[in-house]
Amino acid sequence: MSSYPKPINQLIESLSYLPGIGPKTAERLAFYIITMSGNKVDHLITALQNAKNKVFNCSVCNNLTDRDPCLICQDERRESGLICVVQDPKDVIAIEKVRDFQGRYHVLQGVISPMEGIGPDDLNMKELLERINSENIKEILIATDPTVEGEATAMYLTKLVKPMGVKVTRLAYGLPMGGDLEYADEMTLQQAFEGRKEM
Amino acid sequence: MSSYPKPINQLIESLSYLPGIGPKTAERLAFYIITMSGNKVDHLITALQNAKNKVFNCSVCNNLTDRDPCLICQDERRESGLICVVQDPKDVIAIEKVRDFQGRYHVLQGVISPMEGIGPDDLNMKELLERINSENIKEILIATDPTVEGEATAMYLTKLVKPMGVKVTRLAYGLPMGGDLEYADEMTLQQAFEGRKEM
């Protein structure tokens, strides 16, 4: 690698910082970029600059946005008394794709994780409590990931929010649609049995 | 995807133009880039700009370089009567890693490929003939890929160069057929160099 011209080496190095891009892939990408039209490289550079400079967190819900408040917080047709709490901006997109949820969001930007030194104060919980006070919220729907950390965060939030007289709900657990029962893990099956519904 | 803020969508789109980067990977990279330090993003942008603006083809051997002539063409310790002909700048790097070859290079920038409409005139063959005339060349070692196109190109070059009174050799068949020179392991490459045969 050291025998490449310096600008190529630097590009390979910069690209290898990206997740999932090893040295060989970075090399392949770098050589592709060198043969790309100048126009397309300029597009990529502008896109990088804009993504870095024009994207920030919504001051209300903390979702990623290029205007403040974000489009969802601005949307008057949204149910205003219902907030769905998620870990990550990508979760908002996943839920929006379903077009089922009509409330607004609150993005925690993570979950409680003692292993990684992330406590409740590192998440946007204070902002959520402020919203509950100021926005006449009736229900908080917790949609953190079904992991140990996501569960712990959901429990913590429930204890925090319930005394404020707000209904707290959690996404249902059970078998994933289109799946095969025999391949479901034991935890999921257990949850599916506990959450069984009368037909 | 359409629900992301516009700068994120544009970055995802720009990244998906790169080879091997599908929409999902582009999404993951884009979100990673947004959370990267501004410093690192600037590094990446500078690296992209430099790779595009400061890298060009050596006027002698056509290898990628950031100075003209390239470091290998400038190197006086190199055997001056021997030229290794390769398809691609990456092949130069692969051969340089073995540290076995002491001559200079000539990069064709491709191979004869009627299927893709690439004929001898689209490659840097004329420049090679000029070098043979001006540089007192004694041997041309052809190191095109061991593929049908690479073979055809080697045959064509041999017919062109041999009448000029120059010895023409080809890398030995230690290379696995149908393979790609840049992925050959160093031992195989070394064997191929040692076993080169006159054509």
Side-chain angles (χ1 to χ4, degrees), chain B residues 110-130:
Chain B
V111 272
I112 298 172
S113 171
M115 293 282 284
E116 292 174 44
I118 303 171
D121 295 341
D122 302 313
L123 309 171
N124 299 304
M125 289 201 180
K126 212 180 66 191
E127 290 86 343
L128 179 64
L129 303 185
E130 280 163 15

Side-chain angles (χ1 to χ4, degrees), chain A residues 138-185:
Chain A
K138 291 185 191 79
E139 181 178 346
I140 295 288
L141 165 49
I142 304 178
T144 50
D145 283 346
T147 57
V148 176
E149 290 89 357
E151 277 308 290
T153 309
M155 295 300 290
Y156 185 92
L157 258 180
T158 307
K159 278 188 186 160
L160 215 62
V161 171
K162 230 175 177 174
M164 300 171 82
V166 178
K167 185 176 169 189
V168 182
T169 52
R170 176 94 173 98
L171 284 188
Y173 290 127
L175 297 173
M177 291 299 290
D180 205 331
L181 194 143
E182 63 178 300
Y183 296 125
D185 60 283

Side-chain angles (χ1 to χ4, degrees), chain A residues 1 4-5 7 11 19 28-29 31-32 34 36 41 43 45 48-49 51-52 55 64-66 90 93, chain B residues 4-7 11 14 19 28-29 31-32 34 36 41 45 48-49 51-52 55 64-66 90 93 97:
Chain A
M1 186 171 131
Y4 288 121
L11 181 57
R28 190 162 49 87
L29 290 177
F31 274 94
Y32 182 84
I34 287 163
M36 251 162 85
V41 177
H43 269 302
I45 289 172
L48 283 165
Q49 282 165 334
K52 196 61 204 171
V55 176
L64 287 175
T65 180
D66 57 347
K90 284 192 214 175
I93 307 298
Chain B
Y4 289 119
K6 209 176 150 210
L11 181 57
S14 277
R28 190 163 47 88
L29 290 177
F31 274 93
Y32 183 84
I34 286 162
M36 253 161 85
V41 178
I45 289 171
L48 283 166
Q49 282 164 335
K52 197 62 203 168
V55 177
L64 287 175
T65 181
D66 56 346
K90 284 191 209 171
I93 308 298
K97 273 183 186 156

Side-chain angles (χ1 to χ4, degrees), chain A residues 97-134:
Chain A
K97 274 183 186 155
V98 187
R99 294 167 198 271
D100 224 28
F101 178 72
Q102 289 303 318
R104 297 213 168 90
Y105 294 93
H106 193 82
V107 181
L108 292 178
Q109 299 283 15
V111 273
I112 297 172
S113 171
M115 293 282 284
E116 294 175 43
I118 303 171
D121 295 341
D122 302 311
L123 308 172
N124 300 305
M125 290 200 179
K126 213 180 67 192
E127 290 86 343
L128 178 64
L129 303 185
E130 279 163 15
R131 286 181 74 183
I132 292 173
N133 281 324
S134 62

Side-chain angles (χ1 to χ4, degrees), chain B residues 3-73:
Chain B
S3 14
Y4 289 119
K6 209 176 150 210
I8 301 188
N9 272 339
Q10 280 172 339
L11 181 57
I12 294 173
E13 201 195 319
S14 277
L15 288 169
S16 357
Y17 288 136
L18 297 175
I21 308 279
K24 267 282 166 195
T25 309
E27 208 175 297
R28 190 163 47 88
L29 290 177
F31 274 93
Y32 183 84
I33 286 165
I34 286 162
T35 58
M36 253 161 85
S37 76
N39 212 358
K40 274 195 176 172
V41 178
D42 288 342
H43 271 300
L44 178 58
I45 289 171
T46 314
L48 283 166
Q49 282 164 335
N50 285 345
K52 197 62 203 168
N53 300 328
K54 295 192 184 163
V55 177
F56 51 90
N57 295 106
C58 170
S59 63
V60 180
C61 73
N62 244 298
N63 191 12
L64 287 175
T65 181
D66 56 346
R67 68 201 76 194
D68 201 20
C70 73
L71 285 178
I72 294 174
C73 287

Side-chain angles (χ1 to χ4, degrees), chain B residues 87-105:
Chain B
Q87 293 182 209
D88 204 272
K90 284 191 209 171
D91 298 332
V92 174
I93 308 298
I95 294 169
E96 283 297 287
K97 273 183 186 156
V98 188
R99 293 168 202 272
D100 223 30
F101 177 71
Q102 288 305 319
R104 297 212 166 91
Y105 294 93

